[in-house]
Amino acid sequence: GEANMQQHVDSAQHKRRLVLAGIKQDSTILPPVPKQYEDRGIVISPTKDGTLQYTCKLCKAGPFPTLESVKSHLGGSKHSLKEGREPELSLSTELAKEGFVLVEGQ
């Protein structure tokens, strides 16, 4: 009944869908694109199903679900090459734990 409907409308998943559909704004669910990312080609745009996601217009890459995944893309070789820069080499903690190291100047 009505109580169930109210519970649903208040649910986190419903709120998230409203934001991703562009109906509601909520910077905790879909934070605005930081200026430094915007300058490098990152925008919020609707995907095929109409939900809002981060995409890279420079690489025509994405959608990226979070700013964390955007950051990872910006540091990657594909984007760096598009910008005419050297890729930022970084080592994930998972790889470091496995004993991988970065060797400069090879």
Side-chain angles (χ1 to χ4, degrees):
E2 210 163 298
N4 282 354
M5 178 58 111
Q6 193 54 50
Q7 214 174 356
H8 168 78
V9 170
D10 291 339
S11 74
Q13 188 178 17
H14 183 81
K15 283 197 177 121
R16 183 177 161 76
R17 292 221 166 135
L18 284 176
V19 171
L20 297 184
I23 296 165
K24 270 180 81 170
Q25 298 245 305
D26 185 331
S27 59
T28 57
I29 294 170
L30 190 73
V33 178
K35 179 89 178 87
Q36 72 269 28
Y37 290 4
E38 213 175 286
D39 293 344
R40 296 179 65 189
I42 301 300
V43 293
I44 291 178
S45 59
T47 56
K48 284 185 187 74
D49 67 1
T51 59
L52 298 175
Q53 296 254 0
Y54 303 104
T55 56
C56 178
K57 59 183 186 196
L58 182 67
C59 300
K60 296 183 176 35
F64 304 106
T66 62
L67 282 176
E68 201 48 49
S69 52
V70 166
K71 185 179 169 193
S72 173
H73 167 74
L74 290 175
S77 52
K78 180 181 179 182
H79 189 88
S80 298
L81 289 170
K82 288 264 188 205
E83 286 184 319
R85 297 182 315 118
E86 286 290 307
E88 296 162 25
L89 293 177
S90 65
L91 199 58
S92 71
T93 37
E94 289 76 42
L95 289 177
K97 279 186 195 136
E98 289 177 34
F100 286 88
V101 291
L102 281 179
V103 181
E104 293 293 323
Q106 285 291 301

